[in-house]
Amino acid sequence: MSTERDPSAYDELRGEGWTRLLAAARRRLERTGGALDGDVGLTTPSEAERRTVIGVTGRYRPETAKRLAVPLGDLDGYLYDRYGTGLLQTLGQMHGPLRDRPAERADEGAHRDRALKAAHTSRLAGQGWFAAWLDRIAADGTLTRLVRRGDVRLLDAAVHVLERLFGESVPGSSAGVLPLPVLAEWATGDTKALVPGTALEQLVLRALTLRNGDGPAVPRDRAGRRALWVSVGAIADDLASQVLVLNIGARGDTVVCDWLRDAADFGIPFRLTLHQLTTDPVVPAAHTIFVCENPAVLRAAAGELRNTGAALVCTEGVPSAACHKLLGDAVRAGARLYWRADFDWAGLRITSDAVVRHGAHPWRMTTADYTAALGEGESTPLVGPPAASSWDPGLAPAMAESGSAVMEERLLPALLSDLALT
């Protein structure tokens, strides 16, 4: 015989005397998997709740009682006698089926174990950073959250991405460069699976930080995340990654080299994409290359010096993968780089990285240059975390003391003079 009842049959149980009692019973039953042993309690009960408990248990409770306990067995029996449905059925008919949390935890554990077991079969499993990565995402709740969201497949996808980055080939990628959309499509079938902010991107970058020895934290800024990808030969888009050059020239017999030579002959600014730089070898002809941060400097050099000025590369802020590719190849071919950026904390970090990465020589980036430029006009305040200036240890403290940034456009006459004399 069906025990399904009209919901209105339980209207009495929706009153003040029952609400907290039935909610407490539901929480306990879901926590224990539906066991009807033990009891539930009500602290500081109202008069309506006290009368309900007396009615359920058949035992008097004084008005001064601070806590009332109700055996679940008594509550089950009371409801069955009154409504023909026990506690589990009554709660289910009033507010839907109860969860079985012990079974859910067991199921989650099984999913976690299967996912980890599969990941440990990777050919990367013998590497310390890979094992440390799996240990961390298992210990900090990341894997559990993936299981609960139904996204545990992302762990398998992350392992595939890492295996590709450190060995396997992917159709559609050129030598040395792997576009992220190609990698994402290969690993998941979704070209956008590795765009910034996705769970898969975060998983892979956590592994890369451990492999690179950068600690467990993934950079929050886009430039830091991009640098992580570049460090393993992956880029967001080899057409979007560009570098702006002037009078750079080129050695070689390719279409791109011809373009660069023609542009240099006429002193015309030219944009190179990472795709062009990786499709055919491009070795800059210049033995001395200046590097600035802002396009206004390169534009001024093109306007005033045209094809008589020195070779100049503009990073347009944080250097792109294309910029690093061009300048890295230039240094390997024997070129010397003279590098500068704005006098702000980001500019110091950019210059420091250039010194370490390319052996660049800072260009008008001394304390004297900063102090002289600072006195020539109003400046905007420095913002963000401070940075060091290893090539001139006095520069960073001088900037911190003034609290002011100086953009490189203020040094334009001196910069153009340097470019003209070289």
Side-chain angles (χ1 to χ4, degrees):
M1 181 177 67
S2 171
T3 56
E4 194 74 27
R5 295 177 65 90
D6 186 330
S8 63
Y10 298 107
D11 284 350
E12 176 193 5
L13 302 181
R14 306 182 198 280
E16 178 191 346
W18 285 94
T19 302
R20 282 208 304 159
L21 179 61
L22 293 179
R26 186 180 188 96
R27 288 194 296 273
R28 181 180 176 86
L29 291 169
E30 289 185 338
R31 190 168 63 247
T32 62
L36 289 171
D37 52 1
D39 56 35
V40 292
L42 296 175
T43 56
T44 316
S46 67
E47 178 60 19
E49 289 172 334
R50 187 178 72 88
R51 290 181 179 279
T52 295
V53 172
I54 291 173
V56 170
T57 62
R59 296 191 298 276
Y60 176 73
R61 310 297 175 91
E63 296 178 357
T64 56
K66 300 298 183 185
R67 182 179 186 280
L68 299 178
V70 179
L72 288 177
D74 289 0
L75 185 55
D76 181 59
Y78 176 89
L79 294 172
Y80 189 83
D81 291 344
R82 189 169 180 82
Y83 299 100
T85 54
L87 178 56
L88 293 168
Q89 292 171 298
T90 300
L91 292 173
Q93 293 198 22
M94 290 181 68
H95 301 296
L98 278 72
R99 296 177 63 180
D100 186 344
R101 294 188 185 277
E104 291 177 3
R105 285 194 293 272
D107 190 51
E108 286 176 3
H111 276 82
R112 281 167 41 92
D113 292 345
R114 283 197 296 271
L116 279 176
K117 185 177 180 180
H120 278 291
T121 64
S122 167
R123 62 180 178 77
L124 300 174
Q127 302 193 31
W129 62 269
F130 186 85
W133 170 63
L134 291 178
D135 288 345
R136 286 180 185 277
I137 63 176
D140 68 5
T142 299
L143 184 53
T144 298
R145 288 191 290 275
L146 291 176
V147 170
R148 288 177 179 172
R149 295 201 308 257
D151 284 338
V152 70
R153 60 184 170 75
L154 292 181
L155 177 60
D156 185 54
V159 171
H160 277 76
V161 169
L162 293 169
E163 287 177 336
R164 162 58 193 99
L165 290 174
F166 304 111
E168 295 181 16
S169 63
V170 175
S173 61
S174 57
V177 176
L178 181 59
L180 288 182
V182 175
L183 178 60
E185 199 283 332
W186 176 81
T188 69
D190 179 2
T191 58
K192 297 180 180 178
L194 287 171
V195 300
T198 61
L200 181 58
E201 188 226 20
Q202 183 71 11
L203 276 175
V204 176
L205 291 185
R206 287 184 65 179
L208 297 184
T209 58
L210 288 170
R211 181 183 180 276
N212 291 355
D214 298 333
V218 173
R220 293 186 177 183
D221 62 298
R222 180 164 294 193
R225 300 167 86 89
R226 187 177 66 195
L228 261 181
W229 284 118
V230 171
S231 72
V232 292
I235 57 158
D237 186 340
D238 62 352
L239 292 177
S241 182
Q242 301 180 0
V243 58
L244 180 61
V245 305
L246 176 68
N247 296 339
I248 202 77
R251 308 172 209 169
D253 187 24
T254 68
V255 171
V256 176
C257 290
D258 287 343
W259 292 342
L260 281 172
R261 281 190 288 268
D262 288 344
D265 286 344
F266 291 93
I268 298 173
F270 193 85
R271 282 192 180 279
L272 284 165
T273 68
L274 183 59
H275 178 263
Q276 292 167 346
L277 291 169
T278 55
T279 300
D280 289 310
V282 176
V283 178
H287 295 291
T288 298
I289 299 175
F290 289 81
V291 183
C292 63
E293 179 178 352
N294 299 308
V297 175
L298 187 141
R299 177 64 185 86
E304 294 197 17
L305 305 176
R306 301 193 178 183
N307 62 345
T308 65
L312 180 62
V313 171
C314 179
T315 65
E316 299 183 275
V318 176
S320 64
C323 183
H324 283 306
K325 168 69 174 165
L326 176 70
L327 295 178
D329 289 345
V331 169
R332 283 186 285 277
R336 291 169 63 87
L337 305 183
Y338 292 87
W339 197 303
R340 66 156 298 102
D342 291 327
F343 283 115
D344 57 16
W345 299 134
L348 295 196
R349 277 187 282 275
I350 291 171
T351 306
S352 292
D353 180 66
V355 170
V356 173
R357 186 167 185 161
H358 298 299
H361 303 273
W363 172 30
R364 291 192 182 270
M365 288 291 287
T366 66
T367 305
D369 295 321
Y370 170 71
T371 304
L374 185 64
E376 294 179 4
E378 298 295 322
S379 297
T380 56
L382 287 168
V383 296
S389 52
S390 59
W391 64 92
D392 183 348
L395 174 58
M399 291 170 58
E401 183 177 357
S402 76
S404 297
V406 173
M407 301 297 105
E408 64 183 4
E409 285 87 342
R410 189 173 293 178
L411 286 77
L412 196 52
L415 302 183
L416 292 179
S417 176
D418 292 342
L419 294 170
L421 293 174
T422 303

Short mmCIF file of all heavy atoms in Angstrom, two decimals, residues 307-363:
data_model
loop_
_atom_site.label_atom_id
_atom_site.label_comp_id
_atom_site.label_asym_id
_atom_site.label_seq_id
_atom_site.Cartn_x
_atom_site.Cartn_y
_atom_site.Cartn_z
N ASN A 307 65.97 56.47 -41.00
CA ASN A 307 66.83 55.29 -41.15
C ASN A 307 68.26 55.53 -40.68
O ASN A 307 69.13 54.68 -40.85
CB ASN A 307 66.85 54.82 -42.61
CG ASN A 307 67.42 55.87 -43.54
OD1 ASN A 307 67.53 57.04 -43.17
ND2 ASN A 307 67.76 55.45 -44.76
N THR A 308 68.51 56.71 -40.07
CA THR A 308 69.86 56.99 -39.58
C THR A 308 70.04 56.62 -38.12
O THR A 308 71.16 56.64 -37.61
CB THR A 308 70.20 58.47 -39.76
OG1 THR A 308 69.34 59.26 -38.92
CG2 THR A 308 70.04 58.91 -41.21
N GLY A 309 68.96 56.35 -37.44
CA GLY A 309 69.05 56.03 -36.02
C GLY A 309 69.46 54.60 -35.78
O GLY A 309 69.46 53.74 -36.67
N ALA A 310 69.79 54.34 -34.52
CA ALA A 310 70.18 52.98 -34.13
C ALA A 310 68.97 52.04 -34.15
O ALA A 310 67.82 52.48 -34.17
CB ALA A 310 70.79 53.01 -32.73
N ALA A 311 69.27 50.76 -34.17
CA ALA A 311 68.20 49.76 -34.08
C ALA A 311 67.49 49.90 -32.74
O ALA A 311 68.14 50.02 -31.69
CB ALA A 311 68.78 48.36 -34.22
N LEU A 312 66.16 49.91 -32.78
CA LEU A 312 65.37 50.14 -31.57
C LEU A 312 64.21 49.15 -31.52
O LEU A 312 63.51 48.95 -32.53
CB LEU A 312 64.84 51.58 -31.56
CG LEU A 312 63.99 52.01 -30.37
CD1 LEU A 312 64.79 51.94 -29.07
CD2 LEU A 312 63.45 53.43 -30.59
N VAL A 313 64.01 48.55 -30.37
CA VAL A 313 62.88 47.64 -30.15
C VAL A 313 62.04 48.20 -29.02
O VAL A 313 62.58 48.65 -28.00
CB VAL A 313 63.38 46.22 -29.78
CG1 VAL A 313 62.22 45.33 -29.35
CG2 VAL A 313 64.10 45.59 -30.97
N CYS A 314 60.74 48.19 -29.20
CA CYS A 314 59.83 48.68 -28.16
C CYS A 314 59.06 47.51 -27.55
O CYS A 314 58.41 46.74 -28.27
CB CYS A 314 58.84 49.69 -28.75
SG CYS A 314 57.67 50.32 -27.54
N THR A 315 59.13 47.39 -26.23
CA THR A 315 58.45 46.26 -25.57
C THR A 315 56.97 46.51 -25.38
O THR A 315 56.21 45.59 -25.14
CB THR A 315 59.07 45.98 -24.20
OG1 THR A 315 58.82 47.10 -23.34
CG2 THR A 315 60.56 45.72 -24.31
N GLU A 316 56.54 47.78 -25.44
CA GLU A 316 55.14 48.15 -25.19
C GLU A 316 54.64 47.57 -23.86
O GLU A 316 53.62 46.89 -23.80
CB GLU A 316 54.26 47.70 -26.35
CG GLU A 316 54.65 48.36 -27.68
CD GLU A 316 53.75 47.98 -28.83
OE1 GLU A 316 54.01 46.92 -29.44
OE2 GLU A 316 52.79 48.70 -29.10
N GLY A 317 55.40 47.83 -22.84
CA GLY A 317 55.05 47.30 -21.51
C GLY A 317 55.86 46.05 -21.23
O GLY A 317 57.05 45.97 -21.57
N VAL A 318 55.23 45.08 -20.61
CA VAL A 318 55.91 43.81 -20.34
C VAL A 318 56.24 43.14 -21.67
O VAL A 318 55.35 43.01 -22.53
CB VAL A 318 55.01 42.89 -19.49
CG1 VAL A 318 55.67 41.53 -19.29
CG2 VAL A 318 54.72 43.54 -18.14
N PRO A 319 57.47 42.73 -21.89
CA PRO A 319 57.85 42.15 -23.18
C PRO A 319 57.02 40.92 -23.52
O PRO A 319 56.72 40.09 -22.66
CB PRO A 319 59.32 41.77 -22.98
CG PRO A 319 59.79 42.64 -21.86
CD PRO A 319 58.61 42.84 -20.96
N SER A 320 56.63 40.84 -24.78
CA SER A 320 55.87 39.69 -25.27
C SER A 320 56.81 38.52 -25.54
O SER A 320 58.04 38.66 -25.54
CB SER A 320 55.14 40.07 -26.55
OG SER A 320 56.10 40.37 -27.56
N ALA A 321 56.20 37.37 -25.81
CA ALA A 321 57.01 36.21 -26.21
C ALA A 321 57.76 36.51 -27.51
O ALA A 321 58.90 36.07 -27.69
CB ALA A 321 56.10 34.99 -26.38
N ALA A 322 57.11 37.25 -28.41
CA ALA A 322 57.78 37.61 -29.67
C ALA A 322 58.99 38.48 -29.39
O ALA A 322 60.06 38.31 -30.02
CB ALA A 322 56.79 38.35 -30.58
N CYS A 323 58.86 39.42 -28.46
CA CYS A 323 59.98 40.30 -28.11
C CYS A 323 61.14 39.48 -27.55
O CYS A 323 62.29 39.65 -27.97
CB CYS A 323 59.50 41.33 -27.09
SG CYS A 323 60.77 42.53 -26.63
N HIS A 324 60.84 38.60 -26.64
CA HIS A 324 61.91 37.77 -26.07
C HIS A 324 62.56 36.87 -27.14
O HIS A 324 63.77 36.65 -27.14
CB HIS A 324 61.36 36.90 -24.94
CG HIS A 324 61.15 37.66 -23.66
ND1 HIS A 324 62.15 38.38 -23.07
CD2 HIS A 324 60.06 37.80 -22.86
CE1 HIS A 324 61.70 38.94 -21.96
NE2 HIS A 324 60.44 38.62 -21.81
N LYS A 325 61.74 36.37 -28.03
CA LYS A 325 62.27 35.51 -29.09
C LYS A 325 63.26 36.28 -29.97
O LYS A 325 64.38 35.83 -30.25
CB LYS A 325 61.11 34.97 -29.92
CG LYS A 325 61.48 34.28 -31.24
CD LYS A 325 62.18 32.98 -31.02
CE LYS A 325 62.40 32.26 -32.37
NZ LYS A 325 63.38 31.16 -32.23
N LEU A 326 62.85 37.47 -30.43
CA LEU A 326 63.69 38.28 -31.31
C LEU A 326 64.99 38.67 -30.60
O LEU A 326 66.09 38.50 -31.16
CB LEU A 326 62.93 39.54 -31.73
CG LEU A 326 63.74 40.53 -32.58
CD1 LEU A 326 64.00 39.95 -33.96
CD2 LEU A 326 63.01 41.87 -32.68
N LEU A 327 64.88 39.18 -29.39
CA LEU A 327 66.07 39.68 -28.70
C LEU A 327 66.96 38.53 -28.23
O LEU A 327 68.19 38.66 -28.21
CB LEU A 327 65.65 40.57 -27.52
CG LEU A 327 64.93 41.85 -27.95
CD1 LEU A 327 64.50 42.66 -26.75
CD2 LEU A 327 65.83 42.69 -28.87
N GLY A 328 66.36 37.42 -27.86
CA GLY A 328 67.17 36.26 -27.48
C GLY A 328 67.99 35.76 -28.65
O GLY A 328 69.19 35.46 -28.51
N ASP A 329 67.37 35.71 -29.83
CA ASP A 329 68.12 35.30 -31.04
C ASP A 329 69.21 36.30 -31.37
O ASP A 329 70.30 35.92 -31.84
CB ASP A 329 67.16 35.14 -32.22
CG ASP A 329 66.25 33.93 -32.08
OD1 ASP A 329 66.55 33.06 -31.24
OD2 ASP A 329 65.24 33.85 -32.81
N ALA A 330 68.90 37.59 -31.16
CA ALA A 330 69.90 38.62 -31.45
C ALA A 330 71.12 38.48 -30.55
O ALA A 330 72.27 38.57 -31.01
CB ALA A 330 69.27 40.01 -31.27
N VAL A 331 70.88 38.24 -29.26
CA VAL A 331 71.99 38.09 -28.32
C VAL A 331 72.82 36.86 -28.68
O VAL A 331 74.06 36.89 -28.66
CB VAL A 331 71.45 37.99 -26.87
CG1 VAL A 331 72.55 37.57 -25.91
CG2 VAL A 331 70.86 39.34 -26.45
N ARG A 332 72.14 35.77 -29.02
CA ARG A 332 72.88 34.55 -29.39
C ARG A 332 73.72 34.76 -30.66
O ARG A 332 74.72 34.07 -30.88
CB ARG A 332 71.91 33.39 -29.57
CG ARG A 332 71.43 32.80 -28.24
CD ARG A 332 70.58 31.56 -28.47
NE ARG A 332 69.26 31.90 -28.94
CZ ARG A 332 68.26 32.26 -28.14
NH1 ARG A 332 68.45 32.31 -26.83
NH2 ARG A 332 67.07 32.57 -28.63
N ALA A 333 73.30 35.74 -31.50
CA ALA A 333 74.06 36.05 -32.72
C ALA A 333 75.14 37.08 -32.45
O ALA A 333 75.83 37.50 -33.38
CB ALA A 333 73.11 36.56 -33.81
N GLY A 334 75.27 37.54 -31.19
CA GLY A 334 76.36 38.44 -30.85
C GLY A 334 75.95 39.88 -30.58
O GLY A 334 76.83 40.73 -30.35
N ALA A 335 74.68 40.20 -30.60
CA ALA A 335 74.24 41.59 -30.38
C ALA A 335 74.30 41.96 -28.90
O ALA A 335 74.17 41.10 -28.02
CB ALA A 335 72.82 41.77 -30.91
N ARG A 336 74.50 43.26 -28.65
CA ARG A 336 74.45 43.81 -27.29
C ARG A 336 73.16 44.60 -27.15
O ARG A 336 72.80 45.39 -28.04
CB ARG A 336 75.66 44.70 -27.02
CG ARG A 336 76.98 43.94 -26.93
CD ARG A 336 78.16 44.89 -26.94
NE ARG A 336 78.17 45.77 -25.78
CZ ARG A 336 78.73 45.46 -24.61
NH1 ARG A 336 79.32 44.28 -24.46
NH2 ARG A 336 78.74 46.31 -23.61
N LEU A 337 72.51 44.41 -26.02
CA LEU A 337 71.24 45.10 -25.79
C LEU A 337 71.42 46.20 -24.75
O LEU A 337 72.07 45.98 -23.71
CB LEU A 337 70.17 44.11 -25.27
CG LEU A 337 69.91 42.87 -26.12
CD1 LEU A 337 68.78 42.05 -25.49
CD2 LEU A 337 69.55 43.25 -27.55
N TYR A 338 70.85 47.36 -25.03
CA TYR A 338 70.81 48.47 -24.07
C TYR A 338 69.34 48.72 -23.75
O TYR A 338 68.59 49.14 -24.64
CB TYR A 338 71.50 49.71 -24.66
CG TYR A 338 72.99 49.48 -24.81
CD1 TYR A 338 73.50 48.90 -25.97
CD2 TYR A 338 73.87 49.81 -23.78
CE1 TYR A 338 74.87 48.65 -26.10
CE2 TYR A 338 75.24 49.56 -23.91
CZ TYR A 338 75.73 48.98 -25.06
OH TYR A 338 77.07 48.73 -25.18
N TRP A 339 68.96 48.46 -22.54
CA TRP A 339 67.53 48.32 -22.21
C TRP A 339 67.12 49.35 -21.18
O TRP A 339 67.81 49.58 -20.20
CB TRP A 339 67.33 46.91 -21.64
CG TRP A 339 65.91 46.42 -21.61
CD1 TRP A 339 64.85 47.02 -21.00
CD2 TRP A 339 65.41 45.22 -22.22
NE1 TRP A 339 63.70 46.27 -21.19
CE2 TRP A 339 64.04 45.15 -21.93
CE3 TRP A 339 65.99 44.19 -22.96
CZ2 TRP A 339 63.23 44.09 -22.35
CZ3 TRP A 339 65.18 43.14 -23.38
CH2 TRP A 339 63.83 43.10 -23.08
N ARG A 340 65.94 49.90 -21.39
CA ARG A 340 65.38 50.80 -20.40
C ARG A 340 63.85 50.63 -20.35
O ARG A 340 63.24 50.00 -21.23
CB ARG A 340 65.73 52.26 -20.69
CG ARG A 340 65.12 52.84 -21.97
CD ARG A 340 65.02 54.37 -21.87
NE ARG A 340 64.14 54.75 -20.76
CZ ARG A 340 64.54 55.18 -19.56
NH1 ARG A 340 65.80 55.35 -19.31
NH2 ARG A 340 63.67 55.46 -18.61
N ALA A 341 63.29 51.23 -19.30
CA ALA A 341 61.84 51.22 -19.13
C ALA A 341 61.48 52.44 -18.30
O ALA A 341 62.35 53.27 -17.98
CB ALA A 341 61.38 49.93 -18.44
N ASP A 342 60.23 52.59 -17.97
CA ASP A 342 59.83 53.71 -17.13
C ASP A 342 60.49 53.60 -15.76
O ASP A 342 60.80 52.50 -15.28
CB ASP A 342 58.30 53.70 -16.95
CG ASP A 342 57.57 54.06 -18.23
OD1 ASP A 342 58.11 54.86 -19.02
OD2 ASP A 342 56.46 53.53 -18.43
N PHE A 343 60.64 54.74 -15.10
CA PHE A 343 61.10 54.74 -13.73
C PHE A 343 59.89 54.51 -12.82
O PHE A 343 59.37 55.44 -12.18
CB PHE A 343 61.79 56.07 -13.38
CG PHE A 343 63.18 56.19 -13.93
CD1 PHE A 343 63.49 57.15 -14.88
CD2 PHE A 343 64.20 55.36 -13.47
CE1 PHE A 343 64.77 57.27 -15.39
CE2 PHE A 343 65.49 55.47 -13.97
CZ PHE A 343 65.78 56.42 -14.94
N ASP A 344 59.40 53.32 -12.80
CA ASP A 344 58.37 52.91 -11.83
C ASP A 344 58.71 51.47 -11.43
O ASP A 344 59.69 50.89 -11.94
CB ASP A 344 56.95 53.05 -12.39
CG ASP A 344 56.74 52.27 -13.68
OD1 ASP A 344 57.58 51.38 -13.99
OD2 ASP A 344 55.75 52.52 -14.38
N TRP A 345 57.95 50.91 -10.50
CA TRP A 345 58.32 49.57 -10.00
C TRP A 345 58.24 48.52 -11.10
O TRP A 345 59.08 47.63 -11.18
CB TRP A 345 57.44 49.18 -8.82
CG TRP A 345 57.54 50.10 -7.64
CD1 TRP A 345 56.52 50.61 -6.91
CD2 TRP A 345 58.76 50.59 -7.01
NE1 TRP A 345 57.00 51.41 -5.88
CE2 TRP A 345 58.37 51.41 -5.92
CE3 TRP A 345 60.11 50.43 -7.27
CZ2 TRP A 345 59.29 52.05 -5.10
CZ3 TRP A 345 61.04 51.08 -6.46
CH2 TRP A 345 60.64 51.87 -5.39
N ALA A 346 57.22 48.63 -11.96
CA ALA A 346 57.12 47.67 -13.07
C ALA A 346 58.32 47.81 -13.99
O ALA A 346 58.87 46.81 -14.49
CB ALA A 346 55.83 47.88 -13.83
N GLY A 347 58.75 49.05 -14.23
CA GLY A 347 59.91 49.29 -15.10
C GLY A 347 61.18 48.68 -14.54
O GLY A 347 62.00 48.14 -15.28
N LEU A 348 61.35 48.77 -13.21
CA LEU A 348 62.53 48.14 -12.60
C LEU A 348 62.48 46.62 -12.76
O LEU A 348 63.51 45.98 -13.02
CB LEU A 348 62.62 48.51 -11.11
CG LEU A 348 62.86 49.98 -10.76
CD1 LEU A 348 63.30 50.11 -9.31
CD2 LEU A 348 63.87 50.63 -11.68
N ARG A 349 61.29 46.05 -12.59
CA ARG A 349 61.19 44.59 -12.75
C ARG A 349 61.47 44.18 -14.19
O ARG A 349 62.15 43.16 -14.44
CB ARG A 349 59.78 44.12 -12.32
CG ARG A 349 59.65 43.91 -10.81
CD ARG A 349 58.32 43.28 -10.45
NE ARG A 349 57.25 44.25 -10.47
CZ ARG A 349 56.95 45.04 -9.44
NH1 ARG A 349 57.62 44.95 -8.31
NH2 ARG A 349 55.96 45.91 -9.51
N ILE A 350 60.96 44.95 -15.15
CA ILE A 350 61.22 44.62 -16.56
C ILE A 350 62.71 44.69 -16.86
O ILE A 350 63.28 43.79 -17.51
CB ILE A 350 60.45 45.61 -17.47
CG1 ILE A 350 58.93 45.36 -17.38
CG2 ILE A 350 60.93 45.49 -18.91
CD1 ILE A 350 58.10 46.42 -18.07
N THR A 351 63.37 45.73 -16.37
CA THR A 351 64.80 45.89 -16.63
C THR A 351 65.62 44.80 -15.92
O THR A 351 66.56 44.24 -16.50
CB THR A 351 65.26 47.28 -16.17
OG1 THR A 351 64.43 48.28 -16.78
CG2 THR A 351 66.71 47.53 -16.58
N SER A 352 65.25 44.50 -14.69
CA SER A 352 65.96 43.43 -13.96
C SER A 352 65.87 42.11 -14.70
O SER A 352 66.86 41.37 -14.83
CB SER A 352 65.37 43.27 -12.55
OG SER A 352 65.65 44.40 -11.77
N ASP A 353 64.68 41.82 -15.20
CA ASP A 353 64.50 40.56 -15.93
C ASP A 353 65.34 40.55 -17.21
O ASP A 353 65.91 39.51 -17.57
CB ASP A 353 63.01 40.38 -16.28
CG ASP A 353 62.76 39.10 -17.04
OD1 ASP A 353 62.95 38.02 -16.44
OD2 ASP A 353 62.39 39.15 -18.23
N ALA A 354 65.43 41.71 -17.88
CA ALA A 354 66.23 41.79 -19.11
C ALA A 354 67.71 41.56 -18.82
O ALA A 354 68.42 40.92 -19.60
CB ALA A 354 66.01 43.14 -19.78
N VAL A 355 68.16 42.10 -17.68
CA VAL A 355 69.57 41.91 -17.31
C VAL A 355 69.87 40.43 -17.09
O VAL A 355 70.87 39.90 -17.57
CB VAL A 355 69.89 42.74 -16.05
CG1 VAL A 355 71.27 42.37 -15.51
CG2 VAL A 355 69.80 44.23 -16.35
N VAL A 356 68.96 39.77 -16.36
CA VAL A 356 69.18 38.36 -16.04
C VAL A 356 68.97 37.49 -17.29
O VAL A 356 69.76 36.59 -17.57
CB VAL A 356 68.21 37.93 -14.91
CG1 VAL A 356 68.30 36.42 -14.70
CG2 VAL A 356 68.54 38.68 -13.63
N ARG A 357 67.90 37.77 -18.01
CA ARG A 357 67.50 36.88 -19.10
C ARG A 357 68.36 37.04 -20.35
O ARG A 357 68.70 36.05 -21.01
CB ARG A 357 66.04 37.16 -19.45
CG ARG A 357 65.43 36.22 -20.46
CD ARG A 357 63.92 36.40 -20.46
NE ARG A 357 63.27 35.45 -21.33
CZ ARG A 357 61.99 35.14 -21.26
NH1 ARG A 357 61.24 35.68 -20.33
NH2 ARG A 357 61.44 34.28 -22.09
N HIS A 358 68.70 38.30 -20.68
CA HIS A 358 69.40 38.55 -21.95
C HIS A 358 70.79 39.16 -21.75
O HIS A 358 71.45 39.50 -22.75
CB HIS A 358 68.57 39.49 -22.83
CG HIS A 358 67.23 38.94 -23.22
ND1 HIS A 358 67.07 37.78 -23.95
CD2 HIS A 358 65.96 39.39 -22.96
CE1 HIS A 358 65.79 37.55 -24.15
NE2 HIS A 358 65.09 38.50 -23.55
N GLY A 359 71.20 39.35 -20.50
CA GLY A 359 72.48 40.02 -20.27
C GLY A 359 72.46 41.46 -20.75
O GLY A 359 73.49 41.99 -21.16
N ALA A 360 71.29 42.09 -20.70
CA ALA A 360 71.14 43.45 -21.21
C ALA A 360 71.86 44.46 -20.31
O ALA A 360 72.04 44.24 -19.11
CB ALA A 360 69.66 43.81 -21.32
N HIS A 361 72.25 45.57 -20.93
CA HIS A 361 72.87 46.67 -20.19
C HIS A 361 71.81 47.74 -19.97
O HIS A 361 71.22 48.22 -20.96
CB HIS A 361 74.05 47.26 -20.98
CG HIS A 361 75.09 46.24 -21.34
ND1 HIS A 361 76.14 45.91 -20.51
CD2 HIS A 361 75.21 45.44 -22.44
CE1 HIS A 361 76.87 44.97 -21.08
NE2 HIS A 361 76.33 44.66 -22.26
N PRO A 362 71.54 48.15 -18.74
CA PRO A 362 70.55 49.21 -18.51
C PRO A 362 70.95 50.49 -19.25
O PRO A 362 72.13 50.86 -19.25
CB PRO A 362 70.58 49.39 -16.99
CG PRO A 362 70.99 48.04 -16.49
CD PRO A 362 72.00 47.53 -17.48
N TRP A 363 69.96 51.13 -19.82
CA TRP A 363 70.18 52.32 -20.66
C TRP A 363 69.53 53.52 -19.97
O TRP A 363 68.32 53.56 -19.86
CB TRP A 363 69.58 52.05 -22.03
CG TRP A 363 69.54 53.21 -22.98
CD1 TRP A 363 70.42 54.26 -23.04
CD2 TRP A 363 68.56 53.43 -24.01
NE1 TRP A 363 70.06 55.11 -24.04
CE2 TRP A 363 68.93 54.63 -24.66
CE3 TRP A 363 67.45 52.73 -24.45
CZ2 TRP A 363 68.18 55.15 -25.72
CZ3 TRP A 363 66.71 53.23 -25.52
CH2 TRP A 363 67.08 54.43 -26.14
#
